[in-house]
């Protein structure tokens, strides 16, 4: 045994001192292995990435017949052709749903009811009545049965907003041009404002439904409970809007940054009606343009509905043109601590001010968390074991274990206060913008007393507990809140705050948040990671591959944040051509 150990030691010494050349490991190559996919496999990857389906056999045959020196150009031409295919748009809708995942828009007295359209509901007469298929409103004094079976009831044939180019028969005053009525107390009532019922809001009795029935909707309660029917369920459309805007930006070569700072969106008649009704209920006058007339839209639309008259086409619109309180201005600043005048509205900001996401994410901190995850690739996890925090003293952003997340959440949550539920309906939490239009906030709203008014069921009790003066999320003093209760709704980040390493330029609301996402670079880095994972096929590690992420981000920004040019760049890289 002794001799064996001596032999091993001698051999080691010989290796280290006498024969190093023979014992060295072969040098490690820094060149990538020569494992490029065959041209036909690259064609297959390109087709799957852009359209979700494999190429037809003739595509393979044509590529094989192409001289080898010309195949790279042929593959590039195929990329261009597929990026112009409606199937690419369809894939971008799917990608949009994956990336911009939002819950269903389910405003109502319970899960299967639906009153989020804020409209007077129109019901249909049965086939065995005197007026089969005719519409009527429950706001009429006569019972529904009496209207459908009456031979003397007033009838009007109207071209409805949900089906332009056709006419429907409307019974009673619902189809008339009556715009105001006098109630039992002698007050003049605006027919354009619907009011709540347990399942079916209605317009006041004796009212018309407005021009082209824009104050009313043919969907009602349990009859509109489904989210799955894109053609007959209005509540599906606000769920679709974020993904459809993403696909629209991709298809029409718009900057993806418009997802968070754009003043426009896309929508069908069903979706547009929601914006129109929210603005009207908020206090705006009627929209006089023919927003419901698809053929009047000359702007960009989706490639799946090319017929000009199709009301189901996803057509581009400036949001302010439908809801005047969602402003097109890009630098609007407002500070309720220094004025008692109401804001002009809330600057539109792409996905960040869409009715679907704001309503489906029902609180300001929830919105901040979901949008940081969505657009900055942030993650919110429990703190590591053993970490100590300052004691909790009433503000989760400055003390207690919640500080771990809230120090980032609460500065972001400031931007998302001005959207809530409760105005206008006792039973049903309709969405509204507090402090905007006719919904001014008084000390009674934030007193925590219930009910403070017979007119509505306000969210004031929650505000009293959530919007505490002197906290990170509510940088308002008690004196300022007493002088103007709306100061609690401050939704502009103070200049001494920072988020994602950037400071606010003073823009109010979600647009201010969107600007921070862009100026910090967080949106660009996150978008690159999402796009790379979707089209190249693997997740980038933001820590181990930080340099690579930065390099890709520079390429993305250099292409004006447009998706098609960046995708084409990725599809030419060795990572894609090697199948990694």
């Amino acid at each position: 045994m002794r001799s064996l150990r001596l032999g091993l030691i001698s051999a080691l010494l010989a290796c280290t001192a006498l024969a190093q050349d023979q014992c060295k490991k072969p040098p490690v190559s820094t060149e990538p292995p020569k494992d490029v996919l065959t041209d036909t496999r690259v064609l297959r990857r390109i087709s799957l990435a852009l359209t979700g389906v494999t190429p037809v056999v003739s595509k393979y045959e044509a590529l094989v017949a192409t001289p080898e020196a010309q195949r790279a150009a042929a593959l590039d031409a195929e990329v261009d052709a597929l990026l112009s295919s409606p199937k690419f748009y369809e894939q971008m809708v799917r990608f949009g749903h994956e990336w911009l995942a939002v819950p269903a828009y389910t405003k109502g007295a319970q899960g299967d009811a639906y009153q989020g359209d804020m409209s007077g509901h129109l019901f249909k007469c049965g086939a065995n009545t005197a007026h089969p298929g005719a519409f009527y409103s429950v706001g009429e004094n006569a019972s529904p049965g009496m209207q459908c079976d009456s031979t003397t009831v007033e009838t009007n044939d109207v071209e409805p907003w949900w089906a332009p180019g056709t006419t429907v028969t409307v019974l009673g005053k619902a189809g008339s041009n009556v715009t105001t009525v006098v109630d039992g107390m002698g007050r003049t009532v605006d027919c354009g404002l619907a009011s709540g019922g347990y399942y079916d809001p209605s317009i006041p009795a004796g009212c018309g439904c407005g021009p082209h029935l824009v104050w009313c909707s043919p969907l009602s309660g349990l009859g509109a409970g489904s989210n799955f029917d894109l053609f007959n369920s209005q509540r599906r459309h606000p769920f679709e809007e974020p993904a459809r805007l993403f696909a629209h930006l991709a298809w029409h070569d718009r900057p993806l940054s418009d997802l968070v700072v754009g003043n426009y969106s896309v929508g069908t008649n069903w979706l547009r009606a929601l914006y129109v009704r929210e603005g009207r209920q908020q206090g705006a006058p009627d929209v006089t343009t023919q927003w419901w007339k698809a053929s009047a839209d000359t702007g960009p639309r989706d490639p799946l509905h090319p017929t000009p008259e199709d009301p189901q086409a996803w057509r581009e619109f400036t949001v302010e043109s439908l809801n005047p309180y969602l402003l097109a201005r890009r630098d609007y600043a407002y500070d309720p601590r220094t004025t008692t005048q109401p804001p002009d509205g809330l600057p539109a900001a792409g996905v960040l001010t869409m009715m679907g996401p704001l309503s489906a994410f029902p609180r300001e901190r929830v919105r901040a968390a979901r949008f940081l995850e969505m657009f900055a690739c942030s993650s919110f996890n429990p703190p590591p074991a053993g970490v100590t925090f300052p004691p909790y003293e009433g503000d989760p952003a400055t003390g207690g274990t919640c500080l771990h997340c809230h120090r980032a959440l609460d500065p972001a949550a400031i931007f998302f206060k001005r959207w809530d539920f409760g105005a206008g309906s006792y039973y049903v939490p309709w969405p509204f913008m507090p402090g905007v239009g006719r919904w001014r906030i008084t000390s009674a709203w934030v007193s925590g007393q219930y009910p403070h008014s017979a007119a509505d069921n306000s969210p004031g009790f929650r505000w009293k507990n959530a919007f505490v003066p002197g906290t990170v999320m509510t940088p308002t003093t008690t004196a300022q809140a007493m002088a103007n209760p709306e100061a609690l709704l401050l939704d502009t980040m103070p200049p001494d705050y920072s988020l994602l390493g950037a400071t606010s330029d003073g823009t109010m609301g979600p647009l201010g948040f969107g600007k921070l996402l862009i100026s910090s670079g967080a949106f660009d880095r996150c978008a690159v990671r999402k796009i790379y994972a979707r089209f190249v096929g693997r997740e980038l590690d933001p820590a181990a591959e930080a340099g690579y992420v930065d390099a890709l981000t520079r390429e993305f920004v250099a292409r004006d944040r447009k998706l098609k040019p960046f995708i084409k760049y990725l599809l030419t890289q060795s990572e894609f051509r090697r199948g990694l």
Side-chain angles (χ1 to χ4, degrees), residues 275 279-280 284-285 287 319-328 344-346:
Y275 280 101
R280 187 67 164 83
V287 177
V319 184
E320 186 179 15
S321 67
L322 300 184
N323 183 344
Y325 293 115
L326 287 171
L327 309 176
D344 295 342
L346 195 64

Side-chain angles (χ1 to χ4, degrees), residues 3-292:
S3 61
L4 178 60
R5 283 200 298 267
L6 289 174
L8 290 172
I9 292 172
S10 298
L12 179 60
L13 290 173
C15 180
T16 57
L18 301 176
Q20 291 185 9
D21 290 341
Q22 289 82 359
C23 296
K24 284 182 179 178
K25 293 181 179 179
V28 177
S29 173
T30 58
E31 294 294 325
K34 305 297 184 182
D35 58 352
V36 177
L37 299 176
T38 63
D39 292 331
T40 52
R41 292 186 67 188
V42 171
L43 173 65
R44 185 176 188 273
R45 279 207 84 192
I46 289 172
S47 183
L48 285 171
L50 299 182
T51 67
V53 296
T54 57
V56 294
V57 173
S58 60
K59 291 283 187 180
Y60 289 118
E61 293 173 342
L63 185 62
V64 170
T66 301
E68 190 168 347
Q70 300 174 18
R71 288 182 185 176
L75 289 171
D76 283 347
E78 183 65 11
V79 170
D80 290 337
L82 294 181
L83 287 173
S84 300
S85 165
K87 286 189 174 295
F88 171 71
Y89 173 85
E90 292 179 320
Q91 284 297 100
M92 294 308 94
V93 173
R94 295 188 180 97
F95 182 25
H97 279 302
E98 294 168 7
W99 181 358
L100 313 175
V102 298
Y105 178 70
T106 54
K107 302 300 115 187
Q110 56 180 308
D112 55 0
Y114 174 56
Q115 287 130 1
D117 59 0
M118 299 160 284
S119 299
H121 286 151
L122 292 172
F123 294 83
K124 241 183 190 180
C125 293
N128 296 324
T129 63
H131 304 280
F135 287 96
Y136 65 89
S137 169
V138 295
E140 290 289 333
N141 291 323
S143 70
M146 289 179 64
Q147 292 184 71
C148 291
D149 292 327
S150 172
T151 57
T152 60
V153 66
E154 178 181 345
T155 62
N156 289 280
D157 291 330
V158 185
E159 181 184 17
W161 62 263
W162 63 86
T166 68
T167 58
V168 295
T169 299
V170 186
L171 307 180
K173 293 296 182 184
S176 72
N177 59 4
V178 176
T179 58
T180 60
V181 294
V182 178
D183 67 10
M185 300 180 66
R187 298 171 300 190
T188 299
V189 179
D190 183 351
C191 290
L193 299 179
S195 58
Y198 190 72
Y199 282 113
D200 301 299
S202 62
I203 55 175
C207 277
C209 281
H212 300 281
L213 309 178
V214 294
W215 301 336
C216 296
S217 167
L219 305 177
S220 56
L222 297 175
S226 170
N227 283 318
F228 304 106
D229 188 344
L230 189 59
F231 299 101
N232 297 295
S233 174
Q234 185 183 34
R235 67 197 299 181
R236 169 68 181 270
H237 293 238
F239 164 76
E240 287 280 331
E241 186 182 6
R244 296 286 175 163
L245 177 60
F246 172 78
H248 183 82
L249 298 178
W251 181 255
H252 291 287
D253 269 344
R254 303 290 184 82
L256 291 192
S257 51
D258 283 351
L259 288 171
V260 294
V261 296
N263 63 7
Y264 62 94
S265 186
V266 292
T268 62
N269 276 16
W270 286 122
L271 181 68
R272 290 170 178 232
L274 287 179
Y275 280 101
V276 169
R277 288 307 295 159
E278 201 285 322
R280 187 67 164 83
Q281 291 289 115
Q282 193 74 31
D286 279 315
V287 177
T288 57
T289 59
Q290 290 186 317
W291 58 265
W292 49 275

Side-chain angles (χ1 to χ4, degrees), residues 492-516:
T492 302
M493 198 171 84
D496 57 332
Y497 281 30
S498 66
L499 179 66
L500 302 170
T503 55
S504 173
D505 70 348
T507 302
M508 77 173 292
L511 179 58
F513 176 78
K515 288 183 173 182
L516 276 176

Side-chain angles (χ1 to χ4, degrees), residues 38 74 132 140 157 163 178 204 206 218 222 335 366 372 385 439 443 446 450 457 487 518 520 522 530 574:
T38 63
E140 290 289 333
D157 291 330
V178 176
L222 297 175
D335 190 339
V366 178
L372 282 169
W439 297 116
S443 57
V446 293
Y450 177 82
N457 173 14
I518 302 301
S520 68
K530 299 283 189 181
S574 63

